Amino acid sequence: MKFEKLFEPGKIGSTELSNRFVMPPMGTNLGSSEGYVTDGMVEYYRRRAAGGFGLIIIEVCAIDKKGRAITNQTGLWDDDQIPKYKELIYAIHNEGSKVFIQLHHAGRQTVPVQFLD
Ligand SMILES: Cc1cc2nc3c(=O)[nH]c(=O)nc-3n(C[C@H](O)[C@H](O)[C@H](O)COP(=O)(O)O)c2cc1C
């Protein structure tokens, strides 16, 4: 079989992956306009994990409310946002995938402020 290594376990640092399939970060716009992970977003990633990815890199996670690139982009600029992120991560782990997160600030590509407040 070609590419048989893809199905073998792998390691990135101390993180053990069940295979080498990696889902790259892709913004879904499934967050709330306030920047919280939603139930729909949890289910979206749970299903991708159930599909068998060894590693899922969650889409852009804003470090500042005004650093978002899309209007429904989730973030972790406030502790209140942590519980839903935990739910998302547990949902992925429960299906057997590992998770990396992409911390992000859009810089000059931020959404104009009037759409965020
Ligand atoms: C709808 C969509 C959303 C994306 N969102 C992100 C993102 O949040 N972060 C990122 O680094 N790349 C993002 N990308 C880029 C993808 O991760 C990238 O296309 C993927 O790694 C495949 O690489 P390639 O385009 O070089 O083939 C996005 C791509 C698409 C199509």
Side-chain angles (χ1 to χ4, degrees):
M1 183 179 30
K2 265 190 171 177
F3 306 121
E4 59 194 25
K5 280 267 174 209
L6 275 174
F7 296 91
E8 291 179 10
K11 246 182 154 189
I12 300 177
S14 58
T15 304
E16 291 179 10
L17 310 177
S18 56
N19 60 53
R20 287 116 188 267
F21 287 91
V22 177
M23 178 174 160
M26 285 179 282
T28 58
N29 216 26
L30 288 173
S32 73
S33 57
E34 295 80 29
Y36 287 79
V37 169
T38 60
D39 291 342
M41 190 170 164
V42 172
E43 182 59 10
Y44 170 87
Y45 280 103
R46 189 198 64 73
R47 289 189 194 189
R48 267 77 202 160
F53 282 106
L55 173 66
I56 291 178
I57 308 175
I58 302 174
E59 66 198 72
V60 280
C61 169
I63 56 162
D64 188 286
K65 187 180 180 185
K66 291 183 176 164
R68 291 194 278 176
I70 48 176
T71 45
N72 293 337
Q73 185 177 334
T74 56
L76 280 170
W77 62 81
D78 194 315
D79 285 355
D80 284 352
Q81 294 167 302
I82 294 172
K84 266 311 217 186
Y85 259 101
K86 275 191 172 169
E87 198 182 311
L88 170 60
I89 284 156
Y90 291 148
I92 294 171
H93 282 171
N94 283 340
E95 297 290 352
S97 302
K98 295 289 168 62
V99 190
F100 286 177
I101 195 163
Q102 183 179 44
L103 297 176
H104 171 258
H105 188 291
R108 67 183 169 85
Q109 292 183 313
T110 50
V111 178
V113 169
Q114 66 266 29
F115 298 117
L116 296 175
D117 290 322

